Amino acid sequence: MSTIRLTAAQALVRYLAAQRTVVDDAEAPLFAGVWAIFGHGNVAGLGEALWQGREALPTFRAHNEQAMALAAVAYAKAKGRRQMMACTTSIGPGATNMVTAAAVAHVDRLPVLLLPGDVFAGRLPDPVLQQIEDFGDPTVSVNDCFRPVSRWWDRITRPEQLLQSLPRAMAVLTDPAECGPVTLAFPQDVQTEAWDWPLAFFEPRVHRFRRPGPDADELSAAVAALS
């Protein structure tokens, strides 16, 4: 099996750039770009990877995390859920600022991929500036606030976990019933860890959105009730 050595952040960016969709009978990127405010938790790993992949996956710099996440939600709504955006923040208040936008997307079943930085998986450098964690439980960080307002939530503590988590995230983001916000908490040291990725993981995939028709019996019952 052919492989390529990339950091976890580089692999994530390359995977997102390979996801495709169909808009107005024409193939287009599934992710129109990534909104970002960089700081502790996402600048050295994901920030570097986004710079390298800026031609295929553009980065839009923001000044307020809640505003950029709400803009991503609005974009998905305007595109009829056929295209979407991702958002990345530092670990701390930057992450908490996206929780409200996640709740909006959760209620309205709109797709947005949230990529908040997370505390060091190795734990040795903790704490860092503005980091928010549970002092009584090292397995909990501020990103656990996203659990109730995410349709799919995961914390990536090893690079190879992306092989399972990213396809699962795509399945939720593109499902007509399960659609909603996806949160992948991404520890800053794991972002920079290298691994040998199978090249097949980065092959372009076109997502064709299912539009199931109404059940005939339910439709008849609705007509009868309205009549």
Side-chain angles (χ1 to χ4, degrees), residues 20-198:
R20 311 289 292 175
T21 184
V22 176
V23 179
D24 297 329
D25 299 323
E27 189 175 311
L30 180 64
F31 288 91
V34 179
W35 285 101
I37 294 182
F38 295 110
H40 290 289
N42 68 342
V43 64
L46 194 52
E48 181 269 345
L50 286 169
W51 170 256
Q52 287 185 348
R54 62 191 182 279
E55 296 297 329
L57 187 67
T59 300
F60 302 98
R61 294 293 301 277
H63 297 281
N64 178 273
E65 294 87 357
Q66 182 179 132
M68 74 180 190
L70 287 170
V73 173
Y75 181 87
K77 184 175 183 178
K79 288 292 185 177
R81 304 197 304 186
R82 293 181 182 273
Q83 281 184 293
M84 62 197 70
M85 304 187 81
C87 299
T88 180
T89 68
S90 60
I91 174 65
T96 61
N97 285 345
M98 293 199 297
V99 175
T100 297
V104 171
H106 190 279
V107 170
D108 293 337
R109 302 291 182 104
L110 292 169
V112 60
L113 177 60
L114 305 175
L115 302 168
D118 209 333
V119 299
F120 283 92
R123 300 181 183 173
L124 293 180
D126 290 339
V128 298
L129 180 64
Q130 291 194 326
Q131 177 173 295
I132 302 176
E133 73 274 29
D134 186 336
F135 295 110
D137 185 348
T139 67
V140 175
S141 78
V142 65
N143 290 328
D144 289 85
C145 296
F146 287 95
R147 288 179 183 267
V149 289
S150 297
R151 299 293 292 179
W152 168 255
W153 186 99
D154 197 5
R155 175 173 283 120
I156 308 301
T157 58
R158 294 179 58 89
E160 62 268 32
Q161 290 175 349
L162 290 174
L163 291 174
Q164 186 272 342
S165 194
L166 280 175
R168 175 61 177 150
M170 294 304 109
V172 171
L173 291 169
T174 59
D175 187 274
E178 295 296 321
C179 184
V182 167
T183 301
L184 298 182
F186 209 179
Q188 47 193 316
D189 50 346
V190 178
Q191 293 177 31
T192 60
E193 291 181 13
W195 200 67
D196 293 321
W197 304 85

